[in-house]
Amino acid sequence: MAASTIDDVLTQLESVIAESIKTNSRMGYFAALYYKVTASVKDGIAKGQFEDGARMEQFDVVFASRYLDALSAWKNKQPLSLSWQVAFQATESSSALLLQQLLLGMNAHINLDLGIAAAEVSGGQMDGVKKDFDAINTIISALTYQVMNDIDRMSPLLSLLGLHYNNQTSILIQFSIDNARDGAWCFAEDLITRQGAAYAACIGQRDQTIRKLADGLIHMQGFMRFTVWVIHLFEWKSPSRITRALHEDGKAKIVVR
């Protein structure tokens, strides 16, 4: 069922997490982290920390629904964005690092979904959603730094990535929320000027670009590939255990200021 409130989103995320734990699926990794984002937005709305709580909830629901709808399409073998296809396909790979799995979800959701959501709720006036847009990104940015600390115990050799400073390392460990945010905003500003086929084409072109970023996140070459293999040897091997731990860590919500 389509989510219409932030509580609906949380309920659906809980369902994805529970199913992933039950089936030992890596699909729960991103869902567990995204639960934290949504819970933090709900907490901020309740405390009056946003300019317009009702509008912020609408933004959050539209944004979250992009992920939930993509996940439903994947499970039902229906068409979905290329960016999410790469992310979901990676959940079936036992060789992808936990970090890669998380970044693939963030790549699709921020670089593609966020701009579309902003355009949809803007009513053609992007200035009206700028504060909400920035607020969501503040939460995501805080989450990104916390995630790195959270997963150290699940992936104890992750720091080995810092030994190599080539383009692939930069993509893998320096995924920039700031750049993603700026790109999503420019994309949304472009998108609201389009209609009909041009609107769909703009999304399709953006999706192709973000899919290429996803490919860079998952396909390592040369010595980086060996380093990722070594890191993976010492990661926790049970997807259920990882998802459960990520979800428990996610109970501590990000505070919006």
Side-chain angles (χ1 to χ4, degrees), residues 80-127:
L80 71 158
S81 68
L82 298 174
S83 305
W84 274 118
Q85 282 184 36
V86 176
F88 293 146
Q89 188 170 4
T91 67
E92 299 176 351
S93 170
S94 61
S95 61
L97 296 179
L98 168 58
L99 176 62
Q100 289 174 294
Q101 302 270 5
L102 297 175
L103 291 183
L104 284 169
M106 293 172 69
N107 177 61
H109 203 41
I110 300 173
N111 282 320
L112 181 67
D113 292 345
L114 183 57
I116 297 173
E120 286 185 4
V121 301
S122 71
Q125 301 294 325
M126 290 301 297
D127 288 345

Side-chain angles (χ1 to χ4, degrees), residues 4-6 9 41-42 44-46 48-64 114 117-136 185:
S4 59
T5 68
I6 203 164
V9 172
V41 172
K42 179 182 178 180
I45 292 173
Q49 293 172 321
F50 301 113
E51 184 179 58
D52 186 330
R55 187 183 62 194
M56 186 64 182
E57 179 166 10
Q58 180 196 14
F59 195 155
D60 184 88
V61 170
V62 171
F63 184 36
L114 183 57
E120 286 185 4
V121 301
S122 71
Q125 301 294 325
M126 290 301 297
D127 288 345
V129 298
K130 186 65 166 64
K131 289 186 178 180
D132 293 341
F133 180 92
D134 288 341
I136 284 182
W185 184 256

